[in-house]
């Protein structure tokens, strides 16, 4: 708005001259204003004193400020409604909101930063951190190959390849690349008293057995006999068939024992196949102690139960099986990968095969020393 050449006090003094007897024409010629301007002055300031004019001017200025504040507040509310598609929780999202407000709404940088509650220095900050393209690429490749592995095991796999990286940095890259694996829910179990399982101190001291069920794409069911060495966590066999009797279980245990020998103890649940006369005869013939867990207490056989969970999560839930042969091939490939390549956190990042090999070497050295 164009500022007047005359102050309020000067305008009132001119109007007082008019009241004293000077005509409007003379006053307009004397002060160089138009007739319209003079009559506007008279309609606005006629009969007012200087103090009253100052008070009127102060009220107008305050009214103008309030109108501007109200307009700015309404604009801020409208802008916030447009930009808040999601909550602005991270500095990156807040920076994007500030940039949008400056570009689309014409905000100043300071005002836009105040609107989204971010310091201008944080908005202007530019990171000097490297992009880590090579690590990100390899991390995504490993995650695509092993879709159910989380960042801790991926960290172990990267270290095996010679990539030295702090686990906290790896976790940040893992989150930024959106590789987080959603944990599949399980049924709720009752809590009670628990006792830790004793861990064998060598191979073939204790095997664990259990069955896992699944189905082909045409609906036909099949079962998997899982045999695990409790010391090395090595999966000794995954036998896939539509029916697994006690005699078949005995034959499979004999087949495993041909290469590594018979165990001292076998742990299993109370399934009909494992309590049959064929199994009772097998354990007597080979002098193997057979321990049955308490009914309804699967965690008494926790090693093989944990293996079953990994098998279902990383293999059975990831594939559709068209035939029994197809299921055997896929599950056998996964078993070999589990034994040879998959790091085991309870084994300090070693694979079951590495621990078994190290145990055999230690046993040979002890025999040589004796």
């Amino acid at each position: 708005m164009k500022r007047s050449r005359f102050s309020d006090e000067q305008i009132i003094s001119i109007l007082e001259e008019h009241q004293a007897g000077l005509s409007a024409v003379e006053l307009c010629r004397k002060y160089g204003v138009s007739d319209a301007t003079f009559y506007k002055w008279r309609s606005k300031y006629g009969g007012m004193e200087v103090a009253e004019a100052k008070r009127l001017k102060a009220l107008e200025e305050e009214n103008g400020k309030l109108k501007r504040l109200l307009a700015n507040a309404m604009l801020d509310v409208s802008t916030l409604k447009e930009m808040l598609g999601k909550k602005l929780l991270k500095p990156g999202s807040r920076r994007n909101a500030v940039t949008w407000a400056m570009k689309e709404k014409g905000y100043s940088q300071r005002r836009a930063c105040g609107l989204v509650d971010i310091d201008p220095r944080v908005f202007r900050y530019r990171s000097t951190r490297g992009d880590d393209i090579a690590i990100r690429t390899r991390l995504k490749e490993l995650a695509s190959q092993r879709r159910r592995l989380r960042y801790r095991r991926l960290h172990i796999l990267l270290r095996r390849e010679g990539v030295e990286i702090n686990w906290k940095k790896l976790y940040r890259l893992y989150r930024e690349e959106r590789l987080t694996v959603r944990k599949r829910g399980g049924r709720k179990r009752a809590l009670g008293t628990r006792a830790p399982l004793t861990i064998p101190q060598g191979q073939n001291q204790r095997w664990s057995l259990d069955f896992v069920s699944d189905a082909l794409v045409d609906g036909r069911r099949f079962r998997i006999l899982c045999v695990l060495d409790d010391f090395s966590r090595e999966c000794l066999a995954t036998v896939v068939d539509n029916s697994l009797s006690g005699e078949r279980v005995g034959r499979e245990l004999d087949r495993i024992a041909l290469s590594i020998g018979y165990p001292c103890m076998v742990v299993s649940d109370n399934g009909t196949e494992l309590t049959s006369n064929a199994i009772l005869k097998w354990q007597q013939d080979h002098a193997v102690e057979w321990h049955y867990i308490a009914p309804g207490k699967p965690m008494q056989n926790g090693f093989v139960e944990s293996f079953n969970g990994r098998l279902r999560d990383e293999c059975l839930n990831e594939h559709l099986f068209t035939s029994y042969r197809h299921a055997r091939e896929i599950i056998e490939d996964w078993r070999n990968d589990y034994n040879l390549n998959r790091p085991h956190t309870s084994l300090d990042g070693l694979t079951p095969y590495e621990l078994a090999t190290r145990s055999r070497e230690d046993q040979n050295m002890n025999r040589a020393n004796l």
Side-chain angles (χ1 to χ4, degrees):
M1 181 178 179
K2 186 177 180 181
R3 186 176 180 181
S4 175
R5 292 185 295 118
F6 300 92
S7 64
D8 294 340
E9 294 83 355
Q10 292 172 335
I11 295 173
I12 291 175
S13 64
I14 293 172
L15 294 176
E16 288 177 350
E17 292 181 21
H18 178 64
Q19 292 177 358
L22 290 178
S23 65
V25 176
E26 290 175 343
L27 290 174
C28 290
R29 185 168 55 250
K30 179 181 177 180
Y31 293 103
V33 296
S34 65
D35 295 342
T37 300
F38 176 79
Y39 289 115
K40 285 182 180 179
W41 287 351
R42 194 173 68 176
S43 64
K44 183 176 181 180
Y45 297 99
M48 294 180 62
E49 298 293 336
V50 175
E52 295 175 349
K54 288 183 178 180
R55 189 162 53 250
L56 176 62
K57 184 177 181 180
L59 290 173
E60 288 178 347
E61 290 178 353
E62 185 178 357
N63 189 34
K65 288 181 181 179
L66 292 175
K67 286 183 177 180
R68 287 192 296 273
L69 289 175
L70 179 60
N72 290 337
M74 293 179 66
L75 179 60
D76 289 346
V77 170
S78 175
T79 303
L80 284 173
K81 287 182 178 179
E82 291 186 42
M83 73 168 55
L84 291 181
K86 293 184 178 180
K87 292 184 179 180
L88 304 177
L89 301 178
K90 297 183 179 179
S93 60
R94 294 178 186 268
R95 288 193 189 99
N96 294 335
V98 171
T99 303
W100 177 84
M102 293 170 58
K103 183 178 179 181
E104 300 294 333
K105 298 296 183 179
Y107 276 58
S108 65
Q109 184 185 107
R110 183 172 296 277
R111 182 181 172 190
C113 290
L115 186 64
V116 299
D117 195 19
I118 183 175
D119 193 278
R121 291 174 296 179
V122 177
F123 171 73
R124 292 190 293 266
Y125 174 76
R126 293 295 177 265
S127 175
T128 58
R129 179 188 291 161
D131 52 11
D132 300 309
I133 293 297
I135 297 178
R136 290 175 186 268
T137 302
R138 184 55 185 156
L139 183 63
K140 288 191 287 187
E141 290 176 355
L142 289 174
S144 64
Q145 296 170 3
R146 303 174 180 275
R147 290 181 291 274
R148 298 302 300 173
L149 294 193
R150 294 169 176 81
Y151 75 97
R152 294 188 184 277
R153 285 192 173 87
L154 293 175
H155 185 213
I156 296 173
L157 294 176
L158 285 174
R159 283 194 306 177
R160 286 183 182 176
E161 298 178 0
V163 179
E164 293 298 331
I165 181 173
N166 184 279
W167 71 267
K168 290 179 284 188
K169 179 178 179 180
L170 178 73
Y171 181 67
R172 175 176 61 81
L173 300 179
Y174 178 82
R175 292 291 299 272
E176 290 177 357
E177 296 297 330
R178 299 181 181 276
L179 301 177
T180 307
V181 177
R182 183 177 180 182
K183 187 176 180 179
R184 294 189 173 112
R187 65 183 179 88
K188 293 183 179 180
R189 295 173 173 84
L191 297 179
T193 58
R194 296 178 179 178
L197 287 174
T198 57
I199 301 177
Q201 301 302 311
Q203 281 189 290
N204 274 7
Q205 291 186 6
R206 188 174 71 199
W207 291 358
S208 296
L209 272 66
D210 200 9
F211 290 96
V212 180
S213 298
D214 205 3
L216 305 178
V217 292
D218 58 7
R220 288 181 293 168
R221 306 290 299 180
F222 65 87
R223 305 183 76 195
I224 308 168
L225 171 64
C226 301
V227 184
L228 199 74
D229 187 291
D230 288 355
F231 170 71
S232 64
R233 313 296 200 278
E234 184 179 8
C235 180
L236 304 177
T238 49
V239 183
V240 180
D241 213 331
N242 61 341
S243 177
L244 293 169
S245 62
E247 294 180 356
R248 175 72 181 279
V249 172
R251 291 199 303 269
E252 295 295 337
L253 295 179
D254 287 334
R255 183 182 60 81
I256 299 171
L258 288 176
S259 57
I260 62 174
Y262 287 94
C264 299
M265 177 187 288
V266 176
V267 181
S268 73
D269 57 17
N270 296 270
T272 55
E273 303 89 349
L274 304 177
T275 56
S276 62
N277 291 329
I279 291 297
L280 295 177
K281 183 177 183 303
W282 181 90
Q283 67 184 50
Q284 291 175 358
D285 292 344
H286 300 93
V288 175
E289 181 182 356
W290 199 290
H291 174 73
Y292 294 101
I293 65 175
K297 302 289 184 180
M299 285 312 299
Q300 292 182 6
N301 200 11
F303 293 114
V304 74
E305 291 290 344
S306 175
F307 172 81
N308 293 346
R310 303 285 77 75
L311 172 64
R312 186 169 299 281
D313 187 37
E314 299 176 13
C315 182
L316 301 183
N317 290 343
E318 293 288 312
H319 296 90
L320 294 175
F321 305 111
T322 58
S323 63
Y324 292 129
R325 180 178 179 181
H326 182 224
R328 292 188 186 102
E329 292 174 352
I330 295 294
I331 295 173
E332 182 65 18
D333 290 341
W334 183 87
R335 184 184 75 87
N336 291 330
D337 181 73
Y338 178 89
N339 289 334
L340 300 177
N341 301 317
R342 187 183 185 279
H344 208 296
T345 53
S346 65
L347 304 179
D348 294 330
L350 297 177
T351 64
Y353 177 77
E354 290 172 342
L355 183 65
T357 303
R358 182 180 297 182
S359 175
R360 284 193 291 268
E361 292 175 354
D362 293 341
Q363 291 176 1
N364 293 334
M365 290 178 61
N366 292 334
R367 294 193 189 97
N369 293 332
L370 293 175

